[in-house]
PDB file of all heavy atoms in Angstrom:
ATOM      1  N   ALA A  71      41.620  10.095 -42.008  1.00 40.00           N
ATOM      2  CA  ALA A  71      40.925  10.927 -42.987  1.00 40.00           C
ATOM      3  C   ALA A  71      39.469  10.535 -43.139  1.00 40.00           C
ATOM      4  O   ALA A  71      38.589  11.363 -43.216  1.00 40.00           O
ATOM      5  CB  ALA A  71      41.633  10.847 -44.339  1.00 40.00           C
ATOM      6  N   GLY A  72      39.208   9.257 -43.211  1.00 37.00           N
ATOM      7  CA  GLY A  72      37.827   8.841 -43.454  1.00 37.00           C
ATOM      8  C   GLY A  72      37.136   8.274 -42.242  1.00 37.00           C
ATOM      9  O   GLY A  72      36.035   7.762 -42.332  1.00 37.00           O
ATOM     10  N   GLY A  73      37.812   8.313 -41.100  1.00 36.00           N
ATOM     11  CA  GLY A  73      37.196   7.802 -39.891  1.00 36.00           C
ATOM     12  C   GLY A  73      37.180   6.291 -39.823  1.00 36.00           C
ATOM     13  O   GLY A  73      36.411   5.700 -39.100  1.00 36.00           O
ATOM     14  N   GLN A  74      38.058   5.611 -40.591  1.00 34.00           N
ATOM     15  CA  GLN A  74      38.057   4.156 -40.606  1.00 34.00           C
ATOM     16  C   GLN A  74      39.301   3.615 -39.909  1.00 34.00           C
ATOM     17  O   GLN A  74      40.235   4.318 -39.602  1.00 34.00           O
ATOM     18  CB  GLN A  74      38.019   3.655 -42.055  1.00 34.00           C
ATOM     19  CG  GLN A  74      36.839   4.214 -42.852  1.00 34.00           C
ATOM     20  CD  GLN A  74      35.509   3.813 -42.254  1.00 34.00           C
ATOM     21  OE1 GLN A  74      35.329   2.663 -41.875  1.00 34.00           O
ATOM     22  NE2 GLN A  74      34.585   4.734 -42.173  1.00 34.00           N
ATOM     23  N   GLY A  75      39.304   2.329 -39.695  1.00 34.00           N
ATOM     24  CA  GLY A  75      40.473   1.680 -39.119  1.00 34.00           C
ATOM     25  C   GLY A  75      40.301   1.440 -37.636  1.00 34.00           C
ATOM     26  O   GLY A  75      39.612   2.155 -36.947  1.00 34.00           O
ATOM     27  N   THR A  76      40.961   0.424 -37.144  1.00 34.00           N
ATOM     28  CA  THR A  76      40.862   0.078 -35.734  1.00 34.00           C
ATOM     29  C   THR A  76      42.218  -0.343 -35.207  1.00 34.00           C
ATOM     30  O   THR A  76      42.440  -1.474 -34.820  1.00 34.00           O
ATOM     31  CB  THR A  76      39.844  -1.062 -35.507  1.00 34.00           C
ATOM     32  OG1 THR A  76      40.205  -2.146 -36.375  1.00 34.00           O
ATOM     33  CG2 THR A  76      38.432  -0.645 -35.811  1.00 34.00           C
ATOM     34  N   GLY A  77      43.161   0.603 -35.193  1.00 36.00           N
ATOM     35  CA  GLY A  77      44.473   0.329 -34.629  1.00 36.00           C
ATOM     36  C   GLY A  77      44.404   0.286 -33.125  1.00 36.00           C
ATOM     37  O   GLY A  77      43.365   0.485 -32.512  1.00 36.00           O
ATOM     38  N   GLU A  78      45.567   0.077 -32.507  1.00 36.00           N
ATOM     39  CA  GLU A  78      45.624  -0.042 -31.051  1.00 36.00           C
ATOM     40  C   GLU A  78      45.024   1.194 -30.402  1.00 36.00           C
ATOM     41  O   GLU A  78      45.403   2.317 -30.675  1.00 36.00           O
ATOM     42  CB  GLU A  78      47.072  -0.190 -30.585  1.00 36.00           C
ATOM     43  CG  GLU A  78      47.169  -0.359 -29.074  1.00 36.00           C
ATOM     44  CD  GLU A  78      48.589  -0.209 -28.586  1.00 36.00           C
ATOM     45  OE1 GLU A  78      49.452   0.146 -29.376  1.00 36.00           O
ATOM     46  OE2 GLU A  78      48.808  -0.441 -27.394  1.00 36.00           O
ATOM     47  N   GLY A  79      44.065   1.004 -29.525  1.00 37.00           N
ATOM     48  CA  GLY A  79      43.469   2.106 -28.802  1.00 37.00           C
ATOM     49  C   GLY A  79      42.515   2.944 -29.618  1.00 37.00           C
ATOM     50  O   GLY A  79      41.950   3.901 -29.127  1.00 37.00           O
ATOM     51  N   GLU A  80      42.321   2.612 -30.886  1.00 40.00           N
ATOM     52  CA  GLU A  80      41.514   3.451 -31.761  1.00 40.00           C
ATOM     53  C   GLU A  80      40.033   3.195 -31.530  1.00 40.00           C
ATOM     54  O   GLU A  80      39.614   2.094 -31.210  1.00 40.00           O
ATOM     55  CB  GLU A  80      41.870   3.106 -33.203  1.00 40.00           C
ATOM     56  CG  GLU A  80      41.686   4.235 -34.171  1.00 40.00           C
ATOM     57  CD  GLU A  80      42.203   3.822 -35.524  1.00 40.00           C
ATOM     58  OE1 GLU A  80      43.336   3.349 -35.615  1.00 40.00           O
ATOM     59  OE2 GLU A  80      41.445   3.971 -36.490  1.00 40.00           O
ATOM     60  N   ALA A  81      39.243   4.241 -31.681  1.00 40.00           N
ATOM     61  CA  ALA A  81      37.806   4.092 -31.523  1.00 40.00           C
ATOM     62  C   ALA A  81      37.226   3.291 -32.676  1.00 40.00           C
ATOM     63  O   ALA A  81      37.763   3.242 -33.762  1.00 40.00           O
ATOM     64  CB  ALA A  81      37.147   5.463 -31.472  1.00 40.00           C
ATOM     65  N   THR A  82      36.100   2.665 -32.445  1.00 45.00           N
ATOM     66  CA  THR A  82      35.411   1.976 -33.523  1.00 45.00           C
ATOM     67  C   THR A  82      34.778   2.995 -34.456  1.00 45.00           C
ATOM     68  O   THR A  82      34.653   4.168 -34.131  1.00 45.00           O
ATOM     69  CB  THR A  82      34.308   1.072 -32.950  1.00 45.00           C
ATOM     70  OG1 THR A  82      33.297   1.909 -32.367  1.00 45.00           O
ATOM     71  CG2 THR A  82      34.868   0.131 -31.896  1.00 45.00           C
ATOM     72  N   THR A  83      34.338   2.538 -35.636  1.00 39.00           N
ATOM     73  CA  THR A  83      33.729   3.458 -36.589  1.00 39.00           C
ATOM     74  C   THR A  83      32.430   4.025 -36.057  1.00 39.00           C
ATOM     75  O   THR A  83      31.935   5.021 -36.570  1.00 39.00           O
ATOM     76  CB  THR A  83      33.463   2.740 -37.920  1.00 39.00           C
ATOM     77  OG1 THR A  83      32.657   1.584 -37.672  1.00 39.00           O
ATOM     78  CG2 THR A  83      34.753   2.313 -38.572  1.00 39.00           C
ATOM     79  N   ALA A  84      31.855   3.411 -35.031  1.00 39.00           N
ATOM     80  CA  ALA A  84      30.614   3.931 -34.466  1.00 39.00           C
ATOM     81  C   ALA A  84      30.862   4.941 -33.358  1.00 39.00           C
ATOM     82  O   ALA A  84      29.934   5.359 -32.690  1.00 39.00           O
ATOM     83  CB  ALA A  84      29.770   2.780 -33.926  1.00 39.00           C
ATOM     84  N   ASP A  85      32.104   5.325 -33.142  1.00 49.00           N
ATOM     85  CA  ASP A  85      32.407   6.194 -32.007  1.00 49.00           C
ATOM     86  C   ASP A  85      33.577   7.096 -32.352  1.00 49.00           C
ATOM     87  O   ASP A  85      34.670   6.961 -31.804  1.00 49.00           O
ATOM     88  CB  ASP A  85      32.752   5.336 -30.786  1.00 49.00           C
ATOM     89  CG  ASP A  85      32.120   5.883 -29.513  1.00 49.00           C
ATOM     90  OD1 ASP A  85      31.631   7.017 -29.547  1.00 49.00           O
ATOM     91  OD2 ASP A  85      32.127   5.162 -28.514  1.00 49.00           O
ATOM     92  N   ARG A  86      33.369   8.039 -33.276  1.00 74.00           N
ATOM     93  CA  ARG A  86      34.432   8.898 -33.746  1.00 74.00           C
ATOM     94  C   ARG A  86      34.190  10.337 -33.328  1.00 74.00           C
ATOM     95  O   ARG A  86      33.062  10.785 -33.225  1.00 74.00           O
ATOM     96  CB  ARG A  86      34.545   8.822 -35.270  1.00 74.00           C
ATOM     97  CG  ARG A  86      34.672   7.411 -35.805  1.00 74.00           C
ATOM     98  CD  ARG A  86      35.947   6.744 -35.378  1.00 74.00           C
ATOM     99  NE  ARG A  86      37.100   7.368 -36.018  1.00 74.00           N
ATOM    100  CZ  ARG A  86      38.360   7.073 -35.712  1.00 74.00           C
ATOM    101  NH1 ARG A  86      38.636   6.222 -34.771  1.00 74.00           N
ATOM    102  NH2 ARG A  86      39.349   7.652 -36.342  1.00 74.00           N
ATOM    103  N   GLY A  87      35.265  11.069 -33.125  1.00 83.00           N
ATOM    104  CA  GLY A  87      35.166  12.478 -32.777  1.00 83.00           C
ATOM    105  C   GLY A  87      35.720  13.345 -33.886  1.00 83.00           C
ATOM    106  O   GLY A  87      36.478  12.883 -34.741  1.00 83.00           O
ATOM    107  N   VAL A  88      35.341  14.605 -33.883  1.00 89.00           N
ATOM    108  CA  VAL A  88      35.800  15.526 -34.911  1.00 89.00           C
ATOM    109  C   VAL A  88      36.480  16.729 -34.273  1.00 89.00           C
ATOM    110  O   VAL A  88      36.241  17.072 -33.117  1.00 89.00           O
ATOM    111  CB  VAL A  88      34.641  15.994 -35.812  1.00 89.00           C
ATOM    112  CG1 VAL A  88      34.008  14.834 -36.529  1.00 89.00           C
ATOM    113  CG2 VAL A  88      33.595  16.750 -34.998  1.00 89.00           C
ATOM    114  N   ILE A  89      37.344  17.374 -35.066  1.00 94.00           N
ATOM    115  CA  ILE A  89      38.052  18.578 -34.653  1.00 94.00           C
ATOM    116  C   ILE A  89      37.674  19.665 -35.646  1.00 94.00           C
ATOM    117  O   ILE A  89      38.013  19.571 -36.829  1.00 94.00           O
ATOM    118  CB  ILE A  89      39.572  18.359 -34.651  1.00 94.00           C
ATOM    119  CG1 ILE A  89      39.940  17.161 -33.762  1.00 94.00           C
ATOM    120  CG2 ILE A  89      40.297  19.625 -34.183  1.00 94.00           C
ATOM    121  CD1 ILE A  89      41.372  16.680 -33.956  1.00 94.00           C
ATOM    122  N   PRO A  90      36.959  20.706 -35.242  1.00 96.00           N
ATOM    123  CA  PRO A  90      36.546  21.739 -36.188  1.00 96.00           C
ATOM    124  C   PRO A  90      37.750  22.400 -36.845  1.00 96.00           C
ATOM    125  O   PRO A  90      38.773  22.636 -36.201  1.00 96.00           O
ATOM    126  CB  PRO A  90      35.753  22.728 -35.328  1.00 96.00           C
ATOM    127  CG  PRO A  90      36.130  22.426 -33.923  1.00 96.00           C
ATOM    128  CD  PRO A  90      36.505  20.986 -33.879  1.00 96.00           C
ATOM    129  N   GLY A  91      37.618  22.651 -38.147  1.00 97.00           N
ATOM    130  CA  GLY A  91      38.719  23.234 -38.897  1.00 97.00           C
ATOM    131  C   GLY A  91      39.619  22.218 -39.542  1.00 97.00           C
ATOM    132  O   GLY A  91      40.479  22.572 -40.352  1.00 97.00           O
ATOM    133  N   LEU A  92      39.445  20.937 -39.202  1.00 94.00           N
ATOM    134  CA  LEU A  92      40.268  19.866 -39.760  1.00 94.00           C
ATOM    135  C   LEU A  92      39.365  18.808 -40.386  1.00 94.00           C
ATOM    136  O   LEU A  92      38.280  18.523 -39.865  1.00 94.00           O
ATOM    137  CB  LEU A  92      41.135  19.217 -38.678  1.00 94.00           C
ATOM    138  CG  LEU A  92      42.169  20.128 -38.008  1.00 94.00           C
ATOM    139  CD1 LEU A  92      42.863  19.379 -36.873  1.00 94.00           C
ATOM    140  CD2 LEU A  92      43.191  20.633 -39.004  1.00 94.00           C
ATOM    141  N   ALA A  93      39.819  18.224 -41.466  1.00 89.00           N
ATOM    142  CA  ALA A  93      39.050  17.160 -42.108  1.00 89.00           C
ATOM    143  C   ALA A  93      39.269  15.842 -41.366  1.00 89.00           C
ATOM    144  O   ALA A  93      40.172  15.701 -40.551  1.00 89.00           O
ATOM    145  CB  ALA A  93      39.483  17.023 -43.564  1.00 89.00           C
ATOM    146  N   GLY A  94      38.440  14.881 -41.657  1.00 79.00           N
ATOM    147  CA  GLY A  94      38.613  13.561 -41.069  1.00 79.00           C
ATOM    148  C   GLY A  94      38.090  13.499 -39.652  1.00 79.00           C
ATOM    149  O   GLY A  94      37.403  14.391 -39.165  1.00 79.00           O
ATOM    150  N   THR A  95      38.407  12.401 -38.982  1.00 81.00           N
ATOM    151  CA  THR A  95      37.936  12.167 -37.624  1.00 81.00           C
ATOM    152  C   THR A  95      39.091  11.704 -36.753  1.00 81.00           C
ATOM    153  O   THR A  95      40.178  11.398 -37.235  1.00 81.00           O
ATOM    154  CB  THR A  95      36.827  11.102 -37.609  1.00 81.00           C
ATOM    155  OG1 THR A  95      37.344   9.902 -38.192  1.00 81.00           O
ATOM    156  CG2 THR A  95      35.600  11.563 -38.359  1.00 81.00           C
ATOM    157  N   ALA A  96      38.841  11.647 -35.469  1.00 86.00           N
ATOM    158  CA  ALA A  96      39.834  11.170 -34.505  1.00 86.00           C
ATOM    159  C   ALA A  96      39.111  10.390 -33.427  1.00 86.00           C
ATOM    160  O   ALA A  96      37.893  10.501 -33.275  1.00 86.00           O
ATOM    161  CB  ALA A  96      40.594  12.351 -33.895  1.00 86.00           C
ATOM    162  N   GLY A  97      39.841   9.605 -32.673  1.00 87.00           N
ATOM    163  CA  GLY A  97      39.250   8.949 -31.521  1.00 87.00           C
ATOM    164  C   GLY A  97      38.677   9.997 -30.582  1.00 87.00           C
ATOM    165  O   GLY A  97      39.185  11.114 -30.492  1.00 87.00           O
TER     166      GLY A  97
END
Side-chain angles (χ1 to χ4, degrees):
Q74 305 299 316
T76 53
E78 182 192 7
E80 208 174 309
T82 67
T83 56
D85 222 348
R86 307 295 291 173
V88 299
I89 304 167
L92 297 175
T95 58

